[in-house]
Coordinates of all heavy atoms in Angstrom, one line a residue:
M1 N 13.6 -13.9 -2.7 CA 13.1 -12.6 -2.2 C 13.6 -11.4 -3.0 O 14.8 -11.3 -3.4 CB 13.4 -12.5 -0.7 CG 12.8 -11.2 0.0 SD 13.1 -11.2 1.7 CE 11.6 -12.2 2.2
A2 N 12.8 -10.5 -3.3 CA 13.2 -9.3 -4.1 C 14.0 -8.4 -3.1 O 14.0 -8.3 -2.0 CB 12.0 -8.5 -4.5
G3 N 14.9 -7.5 -3.9 CA 15.7 -6.5 -3.2 C 15.3 -5.2 -3.6 O 14.4 -4.9 -4.5
L4 N 15.8 -4.1 -2.8 CA 15.4 -2.9 -3.1 C 16.7 -2.0 -2.8 O 17.2 -2.1 -1.7 CB 14.3 -2.4 -2.2 CG 13.8 -0.9 -2.2 CD1 13.3 -0.5 -3.7 CD2 12.8 -0.6 -1.2
L5 N 17.0 -1.1 -3.8 CA 18.2 -0.2 -3.5 C 17.6 1.2 -3.4 O 16.9 1.6 -4.4 CB 19.1 -0.4 -4.6 CG 20.3 0.7 -4.6 CD1 21.2 0.4 -3.5 CD2 21.1 0.5 -5.9
I6 N 17.9 2.0 -2.4 CA 17.5 3.4 -2.3 C 18.6 4.3 -2.6 O 19.7 4.3 -1.8 CB 16.9 3.7 -1.0 CG1 15.7 2.8 -0.8 CG2 16.5 5.1 -0.9 CD1 15.1 2.9 0.6
K7 N 18.6 5.0 -3.7 CA 19.8 5.9 -4.0 C 19.4 7.3 -3.4 O 18.3 7.7 -3.3 CB 19.9 6.0 -5.5 CG 20.3 4.6 -6.2 CD 20.6 4.9 -7.7 CE 21.0 3.6 -8.2 NZ 21.3 3.7 -9.7
D8 N 20.6 8.0 -3.1 CA 20.5 9.4 -2.7 C 19.7 9.6 -1.5 O 19.0 10.6 -1.3 CB 19.9 10.3 -3.9 CG 20.8 10.2 -5.1 OD1 22.1 10.2 -5.0 OD2 20.3 10.3 -6.3
L9 N 19.8 8.7 -0.6 CA 19.2 8.8 0.8 C 19.8 9.9 1.6 O 21.1 9.9 1.8 CB 19.2 7.4 1.6 CG 18.5 7.4 2.8 CD1 17.0 7.5 2.7 CD2 18.9 6.1 3.6
P10 N 19.1 10.9 1.8 CA 19.6 12.1 2.6 C 20.3 11.6 4.0 O 19.8 10.6 4.6 CB 18.5 13.0 3.0 CG 17.4 12.7 1.9 CD 17.6 11.1 1.6
R11 N 21.4 12.2 4.3 CA 22.2 11.8 5.4 C 21.3 11.8 6.8 O 21.4 10.9 7.6 CB 23.4 12.7 5.6 CG 24.2 12.3 6.8 CD 25.4 13.1 7.1 NE 26.4 12.9 6.0 CZ 27.5 12.0 6.0 NH1 27.4 11.4 7.1 NH2 28.2 12.0 5.0
E12 N 20.5 12.9 6.9 CA 19.7 13.0 8.1 C 18.7 11.9 8.2 O 18.3 11.4 9.2 CB 19.0 14.4 8.1 CG 18.0 14.6 7.1 CD 18.1 16.1 6.4 OE1 19.1 16.6 6.5 OE2 17.1 16.4 5.8
L13 N 18.0 11.5 7.0 CA 17.1 10.4 7.0 C 17.7 9.1 7.4 O 17.3 8.3 8.2 CB 16.4 10.3 5.7 CG 15.3 9.4 5.6 CD1 14.2 9.6 6.5 CD2 14.7 9.4 4.1
H14 N 19.0 8.9 6.9 CA 19.8 7.7 7.2 C 20.1 7.6 8.6 O 19.9 6.6 9.3 CB 21.0 7.7 6.4 CG 22.0 6.5 6.5 ND1 22.9 6.6 7.6 CD2 21.8 5.3 6.1 CE1 23.5 5.4 7.6 NE2 22.9 4.6 6.6
E15 N 20.4 8.7 9.2 CA 20.7 8.7 10.7 C 19.4 8.4 11.5 O 19.5 7.7 12.6 CB 21.4 10.1 11.1 CG 22.7 10.3 10.6 CD 23.7 9.2 11.0 OE1 23.6 8.9 12.1 OE2 24.6 8.8 10.2
K16 N 18.3 9.1 11.1 CA 17.1 8.8 11.7 C 16.7 7.3 11.8 O 16.2 6.7 12.7 CB 15.9 9.6 11.2 CG 16.0 11.1 11.7 CD 14.8 11.8 11.0 CE 14.8 13.3 11.4 NZ 13.7 13.9 10.7
L17 N 16.8 6.7 10.5 CA 16.5 5.4 10.3 C 17.4 4.4 11.2 O 17.0 3.5 11.8 CB 16.7 4.9 8.8 CG 16.4 3.5 8.4 CD1 14.9 3.2 8.9 CD2 16.6 3.3 7.1
K18 N 18.7 4.8 11.2 CA 19.7 4.0 12.0 C 19.4 4.2 13.5 O 19.4 3.1 14.2 CB 21.1 4.7 11.8 CG 22.2 3.8 12.3 CD 23.6 4.4 11.9 CE 24.7 3.8 12.4 NZ 26.0 4.3 12.0
A19 N 19.0 5.3 14.0 CA 18.7 5.5 15.3 C 17.4 4.7 15.8 O 17.3 4.1 16.7 CB 18.6 7.0 15.7
R20 N 16.4 4.7 14.8 CA 15.1 4.1 15.1 C 15.3 2.5 15.1 O 14.7 1.9 15.9 CB 14.1 4.5 14.1 CG 12.8 3.9 14.1 CD 11.9 4.3 13.1 NE 10.7 3.5 13.1 CZ 9.4 3.9 12.7 NH1 9.3 5.2 12.1 NH2 8.4 3.1 12.6
A21 N 16.2 2.0 14.1 CA 16.4 0.7 14.1 C 17.1 0.2 15.4 O 16.7 -0.9 16.0 CB 17.4 0.3 12.9
A22 N 18.1 0.9 15.8 CA 18.8 0.6 17.1 C 17.8 0.7 18.3 O 17.9 -0.3 19.1 CB 19.9 1.6 17.4
A23 N 16.9 1.6 18.4 CA 16.0 1.8 19.5 C 15.0 0.6 19.5 O 14.6 0.1 20.5 CB 15.3 3.0 19.3
N24 N 14.7 0.1 18.3 CA 13.9 -1.1 18.2 C 14.6 -2.4 18.2 O 13.9 -3.5 18.1 CB 13.0 -1.0 17.1 CG 12.0 0.2 17.2 OD1 11.4 0.3 18.3 ND2 11.8 0.9 16.0
G25 N 15.9 -2.5 18.3 CA 16.6 -3.7 18.3 C 16.6 -4.4 17.0 O 16.7 -5.7 17.0
R26 N 16.5 -3.7 15.9 CA 16.4 -4.3 14.6 C 17.6 -3.8 13.7 O 18.2 -2.8 14.0 CB 15.2 -3.9 13.9 CG 13.9 -4.3 14.5 CD 12.8 -3.9 13.6 NE 11.4 -4.3 14.3 CZ 10.6 -3.3 14.6 NH1 10.9 -2.1 14.4 NH2 9.5 -3.7 15.2
S27 N 17.9 -4.5 12.7 CA 18.9 -4.0 11.7 C 18.1 -3.0 10.9 O 16.9 -2.8 10.9 CB 19.2 -5.2 10.7 OG 18.1 -5.6 9.9
M28 N 18.8 -2.2 10.1 CA 18.2 -1.2 9.3 C 17.3 -1.8 8.2 O 16.2 -1.2 8.1 CB 19.2 -0.3 8.6 CG 19.9 0.5 9.6 SD 21.1 1.7 8.9 CE 20.3 2.7 7.8
S29 N 17.7 -2.9 7.7 CA 16.8 -3.5 6.7 C 15.5 -4.0 7.4 O 14.4 -3.8 6.8 CB 17.4 -4.7 6.1 OG 18.5 -4.4 5.3
S30 N 15.6 -4.6 8.6 CA 14.3 -5.0 9.2 C 13.5 -3.9 9.6 O 12.2 -3.9 9.4 CB 14.7 -5.8 10.4 OG 15.2 -7.1 10.1
E31 N 14.1 -2.8 10.0 CA 13.3 -1.5 10.3 C 12.5 -1.0 9.1 O 11.4 -0.6 9.2 CB 14.3 -0.5 10.9 CG 13.5 0.6 11.6 CD 12.6 0.3 12.8 OE1 12.9 -0.7 13.4 OE2 11.7 1.1 13.0
V32 N 13.3 -0.9 8.0 CA 12.6 -0.4 6.8 C 11.5 -1.3 6.4 O 10.3 -0.9 6.0 CB 13.7 -0.3 5.6 CG1 13.0 0.0 4.2 CG2 14.7 0.8 5.9
L33 N 11.7 -2.6 6.4 CA 10.6 -3.6 6.1 C 9.4 -3.4 7.0 O 8.3 -3.4 6.6 CB 11.0 -5.0 6.2 CG 11.9 -5.5 5.1 CD1 12.5 -6.8 5.4 CD2 11.3 -5.5 3.7
T34 N 9.7 -3.1 8.3 CA 8.6 -2.9 9.3 C 7.8 -1.6 9.0 O 6.6 -1.6 9.0 CB 9.1 -2.8 10.7 OG1 9.8 -4.0 11.0 CG2 8.0 -2.5 11.8
I35 N 8.5 -0.5 8.6 CA 7.9 0.8 8.3 C 7.2 0.6 7.0 O 5.9 1.0 7.0 CB 9.0 1.9 8.0 CG1 9.6 2.1 9.4 CG2 8.5 3.1 7.5 CD1 10.9 2.9 9.3
L36 N 7.6 -0.1 6.0 CA 6.9 -0.2 4.7 C 5.7 -1.1 4.9 O 4.7 -0.7 4.5 CB 7.8 -0.9 3.7 CG 8.8 0.0 3.0 CD1 9.8 -0.8 2.1 CD2 8.2 1.1 2.1
K37 N 5.8 -2.2 5.6 CA 4.5 -3.0 5.9 C 3.6 -2.4 6.7 O 2.3 -2.3 6.2 CB 5.0 -4.4 6.6 CG 3.8 -5.3 6.9 CD 4.3 -6.5 7.5 CE 3.3 -7.6 7.7 NZ 2.0 -7.4 7.4
T38 N 4.0 -1.6 7.6 CA 2.9 -0.8 8.4 C 2.3 0.2 7.4 O 1.0 0.4 7.6 CB 3.7 -0.1 9.7 OG1 4.1 -1.1 10.5 CG2 2.7 0.7 10.4
A39 N 3.0 1.0 6.9 CA 2.5 2.0 5.8 C 1.5 1.4 4.8 O 0.5 2.1 4.5 CB 3.7 2.8 5.2
L40 N 2.0 0.3 4.3 CA 1.1 -0.3 3.1 C -0.1 -0.9 3.7 O -1.1 -1.1 2.9 CB 2.1 -1.2 2.3 CG 3.1 -0.4 1.6 CD1 4.0 -1.4 0.8 CD2 2.6 0.6 0.5
D41 N -0.1 -1.6 4.8 CA -1.2 -2.3 5.4 C -2.2 -1.3 6.2 O -3.2 -1.8 6.5 CB -0.8 -3.4 6.4 CG -0.1 -4.5 5.7 OD1 -0.2 -4.6 4.4 OD2 0.5 -5.3 6.3
D42 N -1.8 -0.1 6.4 CA -2.6 0.9 7.1 C -3.7 1.3 6.4 O -3.6 2.2 5.5 CB -1.7 1.9 7.7 CG -2.5 2.8 8.7 OD1 -3.5 2.3 9.2 OD2 -2.1 4.1 8.7
R43 N -4.9 0.8 6.5 CA -6.1 1.2 5.8 C -7.2 1.4 7.0 O -7.4 0.4 7.8 CB -6.7 0.4 4.8 CG -6.0 0.4 3.5 CD -6.9 -0.2 2.5 NE -6.0 -1.4 1.9 CZ -6.6 -2.5 1.5 NH1 -7.9 -2.7 1.7 NH2 -5.8 -3.3 1.1
S44 N -7.7 2.6 7.0 CA -8.7 2.8 8.1 C -10.1 2.4 7.7 O -11.1 3.1 8.1 CB -8.6 4.3 8.5 OG -8.8 5.1 7.5
G45 N -10.2 1.5 6.8 CA -11.5 1.1 6.3 C -11.4 0.6 4.9 O -10.4 0.5 4.3
P46 N -12.5 0.2 4.3 CA -12.7 -0.3 2.9 C -12.3 0.8 2.1 O -12.4 1.9 2.2 CB -14.0 -0.8 2.8 CG -14.8 -0.1 3.8 CD -14.0 0.3 5.0
L47 N -11.7 0.3 0.8 CA -11.5 1.3 -0.2 C -12.7 2.0 -0.8 O -13.7 1.3 -0.8 CB -10.7 0.5 -1.4 CG -9.4 -0.1 -1.1 CD1 -8.9 -0.9 -2.3 CD2 -8.3 0.9 -0.8
S48 N -12.6 3.1 -1.2 CA -13.7 3.9 -1.8 C -13.9 3.3 -3.2 O -12.9 2.7 -3.8 CB -13.4 5.4 -1.8 OG -12.4 5.7 -2.7
L49 N -15.0 3.7 -3.8 CA -15.2 3.3 -5.1 C -14.2 4.0 -6.1 O -13.8 3.3 -7.0 CB -16.6 3.8 -5.7 CG -17.8 3.0 -5.0 CD1 -19.1 3.6 -5.5 CD2 -17.7 1.5 -5.4
A50 N -13.8 5.2 -5.8 CA -12.8 5.8 -6.6 C -11.4 5.0 -6.6 O -10.8 4.8 -7.6 CB -12.6 7.3 -6.2
E51 N -11.1 4.6 -5.3 CA -9.8 3.8 -5.2 C -9.9 2.5 -5.9 O -9.0 2.0 -6.5 CB -9.5 3.7 -3.7 CG -9.1 4.9 -3.0 CD -9.2 4.8 -1.4 OE1 -10.0 4.1 -0.9 OE2 -8.3 5.3 -0.9
L52 N -11.0 1.8 -5.7 CA -11.2 0.5 -6.4 C -11.2 0.7 -7.9 O -10.6 -0.1 -8.6 CB -12.6 -0.1 -5.9 CG -12.6 -0.7 -4.6 CD1 -14.1 -1.0 -4.2 CD2 -11.7 -1.9 -4.5
D53 N -11.8 1.8 -8.4 CA -11.8 2.0 -9.8 C -10.4 2.2 -10.4 O -10.0 1.8 -11.5 CB -12.7 3.3 -10.2 CG -13.3 3.1 -11.6 OD1 -13.5 2.0 -12.1 OD2 -13.5 4.2 -12.0
R54 N -9.5 2.9 -9.7 CA -8.2 3.2 -10.1 C -7.4 1.8 -10.2 O -6.5 1.8 -11.0 CB -7.4 4.2 -9.1 CG -7.8 5.5 -9.3 CD -6.8 6.5 -8.7 NE -6.7 6.3 -7.3 CZ -7.5 6.9 -6.4 NH1 -8.5 7.7 -6.8 NH2 -7.4 6.7 -5.0
L55 N -7.7 0.8 -9.3 CA -7.1 -0.5 -9.4 C -7.5 -1.3 -10.5 O -6.8 -2.3 -10.7 CB -7.3 -1.1 -8.0 CG -6.7 -0.5 -6.8 CD1 -7.0 -1.1 -5.6 CD2 -5.1 -0.4 -6.9
R56 N -8.6 -1.0 -11.1 CA -9.2 -1.8 -12.1 C -8.3 -1.7 -13.5 O -7.7 -0.8 -13.7 CB -10.6 -1.4 -12.5 CG -11.6 -1.8 -11.3 CD -13.0 -1.4 -11.7 NE -13.3 -2.4 -12.7 CZ -14.5 -2.3 -13.5 NH1 -15.2 -1.3 -13.3 NH2 -14.8 -3.4 -14.2
V57 N -8.5 -2.8 -14.3 CA -7.8 -2.7 -15.5 C -8.3 -1.6 -16.4 O -9.6 -1.3 -16.5 CB -8.0 -4.0 -16.3 CG1 -7.4 -4.1 -17.6 CG2 -7.5 -5.2 -15.5
R58 N -7.6 -0.8 -17.1 CA -7.9 0.3 -17.9 C -8.9 -0.2 -19.1 O -8.7 -1.3 -19.6 CB -6.7 1.0 -18.5 CG -5.7 1.6 -17.5 CD -6.1 2.9 -17.2 NE -5.2 3.5 -16.2 CZ -5.6 4.1 -15.1 NH1 -6.8 4.3 -14.9 NH2 -4.7 4.7 -14.4
G59 N -9.7 0.6 -19.4 CA -10.7 0.3 -20.5 C -12.0 -0.3 -20.1 O -12.9 -0.5 -20.9
K60 N -12.0 -0.8 -18.9 CA -13.3 -1.4 -18.4 C -14.3 -0.3 -18.0 O -13.9 0.9 -17.8 CB -13.0 -2.2 -17.2 CG -12.1 -3.4 -17.4 CD -12.8 -4.4 -18.2 CE -11.9 -5.7 -18.4 NZ -12.4 -6.7 -19.2
R61 N -15.4 -0.6 -17.9 CA -16.5 0.4 -17.4 C -16.3 0.8 -16.0 O -15.6 0.1 -15.3 CB -17.9 -0.2 -17.7 CG -18.2 -1.3 -16.7 CD -19.5 -1.9 -17.0 NE -19.6 -3.1 -16.0 CZ -20.5 -4.0 -16.2 NH1 -21.4 -4.0 -17.2 NH2 -20.5 -5.0 -15.4
P62 N -16.7 2.0 -15.7 CA -16.5 2.5 -14.4 C -17.2 1.7 -13.3 O -18.2 1.1 -13.5 CB -17.1 3.9 -14.3 CG -17.2 4.3 -15.8 CD -17.4 3.0 -16.5
L63 N -16.5 1.5 -12.1 CA -17.1 0.8 -11.1 C -18.2 1.5 -10.3 O -18.0 2.7 -9.9 CB -16.0 0.4 -10.2 CG -16.3 -0.6 -9.0 CD1 -16.8 -1.9 -9.7 CD2 -15.0 -0.8 -8.2
T64 N -19.3 1.0 -10.2 CA -20.4 1.7 -9.6 C -21.0 0.7 -8.5 O -20.7 -0.5 -8.5 CB -21.6 2.0 -10.6 OG1 -22.0 0.8 -11.1 CG2 -21.1 2.9 -11.7
R65 N -21.9 1.2 -7.6 CA -22.5 0.4 -6.7 C -23.3 -0.7 -7.3 O -23.4 -1.9 -6.8 CB -23.4 1.3 -5.8 CG -22.6 2.3 -5.0 CD -23.3 2.5 -3.6 NE -22.5 3.6 -2.9 CZ -21.5 3.4 -2.1 NH1 -21.1 2.1 -2.0 NH2 -20.9 4.3 -1.5
N66 N -24.0 -0.5 -8.5 CA -24.7 -1.5 -9.2 C -23.8 -2.6 -9.6 O -24.3 -3.7 -9.5 CB -25.5 -0.9 -10.4 CG -26.6 0.0 -9.9 OD1 -27.1 -0.1 -8.9 ND2 -27.0 0.9 -10.8
V67 N -22.6 -2.3 -10.1 CA -21.8 -3.3 -10.5 C -21.4 -4.2 -9.3 O -21.2 -5.4 -9.4 CB -20.5 -2.7 -11.1 CG1 -19.4 -3.8 -11.5 CG2 -20.9 -2.0 -12.5
L68 N -21.0 -3.5 -8.2 CA -20.6 -4.2 -7.0 C -21.7 -5.2 -6.5 O -21.6 -6.2 -6.1 CB -20.3 -3.2 -5.9 CG -18.9 -2.5 -6.0 CD1 -18.7 -1.5 -4.9 CD2 -17.7 -3.6 -6.0
E69 N -23.0 -4.6 -6.5 CA -24.1 -5.4 -6.0 C -24.4 -6.7 -6.9 O -24.6 -7.8 -6.4 CB -25.4 -4.7 -6.0 CG -25.4 -3.7 -4.8 CD -25.3 -4.4 -3.5 OE1 -26.0 -5.4 -3.3 OE2 -24.5 -3.9 -2.6
R70 N -24.2 -6.5 -8.2 CA -24.4 -7.7 -9.2 C -23.3 -8.7 -8.9 O -23.5 -9.9 -8.8 CB -24.3 -7.2 -10.6 CG -25.6 -6.6 -11.1 CD -25.6 -6.4 -12.6 NE -24.5 -5.8 -13.1 CZ -24.6 -4.5 -13.6 NH1 -25.7 -3.9 -13.7 NH2 -23.4 -4.0 -14.0
A71 N -22.0 -8.2 -8.6 CA -20.9 -9.1 -8.3 C -21.1 -9.9 -7.0 O -20.9 -11.0 -6.9 CB -19.6 -8.4 -8.3
R72 N -21.7 -9.2 -6.1 CA -21.9 -9.8 -4.8 C -23.0 -10.9 -4.9 O -22.9 -11.9 -4.2 CB -22.4 -8.7 -3.8 CG -21.2 -7.9 -3.2 CD -21.7 -7.0 -1.9 NE -20.8 -6.1 -1.7 CZ -20.9 -4.8 -1.8 NH1 -22.1 -4.3 -2.1 NH2 -19.9 -4.0 -1.4
K73 N -24.0 -10.6 -5.7 CA -25.1 -11.6 -5.9 C -24.7 -12.7 -6.6 O -25.1 -13.9 -6.4 CB -26.2 -10.9 -6.6 CG -27.0 -9.9 -5.8 CD -28.1 -9.3 -6.5 CE -28.8 -8.2 -5.5 NZ -29.9 -7.4 -6.3
R74 N -23.6 -12.7 -7.3 CA -23.1 -13.8 -8.2 C -21.9 -14.4 -7.4 O -21.2 -15.2 -7.9 CB -22.6 -13.3 -9.5 CG -23.8 -13.2 -10.5 CD -23.2 -12.8 -11.7 NE -23.0 -11.3 -11.8 CZ -22.4 -10.6 -12.7 NH1 -21.7 -11.2 -13.7 NH2 -22.2 -9.3 -12.6
D75 N -21.6 -14.0 -6.1 CA -20.5 -14.6 -5.3 C -19.2 -14.3 -5.9 O -18.4 -15.2 -6.0 CB -20.7 -16.1 -5.0 CG -21.9 -16.2 -4.0 OD1 -22.1 -15.4 -3.1 OD2 -22.6 -17.3 -4.3
R76 N -18.9 -13.2 -6.4 CA -17.6 -13.0 -7.1 C -16.9 -12.0 -6.2 O -17.2 -11.2 -5.4 CB -17.9 -12.2 -8.5 CG -18.5 -13.2 -9.4 CD -18.7 -12.5 -10.8 NE -18.0 -13.3 -11.7 CZ -17.7 -13.1 -12.8 NH1 -17.9 -11.8 -13.3 NH2 -17.1 -13.8 -13.7

């Protein structure tokens, strides 16, 4: 499993994290993982074309509705 080191964490943020972890009965590491998972999984719907386009490999043609429809028809 990968690790993560956070440098220069402000004291007040550390105290808030420590209090939140205690309130939830978790270690600070578990609390941070929960917060990160929630933040990264929180999508209120499908990605927009602009968001999908940013995720594509550079140098490819722009992602359009036509490209998506052709891909859907080919079960891609």
Side-chain angles (χ1 to χ4, degrees):
M1 184 174 273
L4 175 66
L5 172 66
I6 301 174
K7 295 183 179 185
D8 302 322
L9 183 66
R11 181 180 292 272
E12 66 224 21
L13 187 56
H14 180 266
E15 291 302 321
K16 286 180 181 180
L17 180 59
K18 188 175 179 180
R20 181 174 166 158
N24 290 321
R26 298 186 186 113
S27 68
M28 286 181 58
S29 291
S30 293
E31 189 66 25
V32 168
L33 287 173
T34 300
I35 292 167
L36 285 172
K37 182 170 180 5
T38 300
L40 296 175
D41 287 348
D42 184 22
R43 277 199 244 143
S44 57
L47 295 174
S48 68
L49 287 178
E51 290 169 320
L52 286 170
D53 207 28
R54 279 195 301 273
L55 295 173
R56 295 184 69 194
V57 176
R58 299 269 182 232
K60 300 285 185 181
R61 63 183 177 197
L63 189 60
T64 63
R65 293 208 184 276
N66 289 338
V67 171
L68 288 174
E69 284 304 314
R70 282 194 307 250
R72 282 187 192 120
K73 287 178 183 175
R74 287 182 274 165
D75 292 322
R76 295 181 122 192

